Amino acid sequence: MTKELTGNEIKSIINENFQNLIVEIGEDNVVLKNDKDNLLDFFKSLKDEKKFNLLSSVTSVDFLSKFVVVYHFTSIEKNESLVLKIPCGESRSEPSVISVTSIWRGAELQEREIYDLMGIYFDNHPNMKRLLLWENFDGHPLRKDFVS
């Protein structure tokens, strides 16, 4: 069974150079700043140095006041998993985060699904377009303020 790391255990494995990205330590997760200049380097470090080579899932949550992108990572080598969260789109204005597709190819369709259904844009995504709905569909149906 894979060991799920606590917030404090996740904090302890984050490279010293990236400690400034930590906003909050939860019981079973860590919330990171949406710092597009440093997040990609952080994610590369997480994969290459810390051996979290499997991105299990990328999803998002609508809190009305903001959106949060949630990442679930697994280290097959260490048999551990962790959860990271990145808030974006405060005031529901142009939510976006950096794409991790260049590091974990499996993120490509998951990021497109989040874009399509929640309207969160992933910067530097190789093919950021709708996945499930047609291009001229008006709105993002999983948002809490979506009206059909």
Side-chain angles (χ1 to χ4, degrees):
M1 183 111 183
T2 303
K3 179 182 191 268
E4 296 177 17
L5 299 180
T6 66
N8 286 324
E9 290 172 326
I10 297 168
K11 180 185 184 288
S12 71
I13 67 164
I14 292 177
N15 186 316
E16 189 177 291
N17 299 335
F18 301 111
Q19 289 290 320
N20 61 330
L21 291 174
I22 297 173
V23 173
E24 180 183 330
I25 300 169
E27 187 175 318
D28 61 351
N29 65 77
V30 168
V31 178
L32 301 175
K33 276 186 223 171
N34 190 2
D35 180 351
K36 295 175 187 172
D37 295 331
N38 294 310
L39 277 174
L40 207 53
D41 289 335
F42 165 74
F43 284 126
K44 285 177 186 170
S45 164
L46 187 66
K47 181 178 182 183
D48 298 338
E49 295 171 23
K50 304 303 179 183
K51 305 299 182 199
F52 282 87
N53 48 355
L54 175 64
L55 175 61
S56 306
S57 72
V58 181
T59 190
S60 62
V61 181
D62 182 352
F63 286 104
L64 282 177
S65 63
K66 66 181 175 192
F67 298 95
V68 175
V69 178
V70 182
Y71 300 86
H72 295 255
F73 296 101
T74 301
S75 170
I76 296 169
E77 187 177 302
K78 299 189 290 185
N79 200 28
E80 297 175 338
S81 65
L82 62 84
V83 177
L84 298 173
K85 298 179 179 182
I86 301 176
C88 63
E90 287 75 9
S91 306
R92 308 189 72 72
S93 172
E94 299 181 16
S96 69
V97 295
I98 194 78
S99 173
V100 296
T101 302
S102 63
I103 303 168
W104 293 278
R105 185 70 181 175
E108 183 176 359
L109 293 178
Q110 295 177 72
E111 290 178 350
R112 284 181 60 193
E113 179 182 26
I114 293 168
Y115 168 69
D116 193 6
L117 301 176
M118 293 287 277
I120 299 171
Y121 188 84
F122 289 84
D123 297 320
N124 299 327
H125 190 282
N127 190 18
M128 184 60 22
K129 62 181 185 179
R130 289 196 181 263
L131 178 67
L132 302 170
L133 301 168
W134 54 98
E135 278 302 317
N136 294 326
F137 185 86
D138 189 25
H140 305 281
L142 289 185
R143 285 187 174 195
K144 289 184 178 178
D145 60 357
F146 179 76
V147 178
S148 58

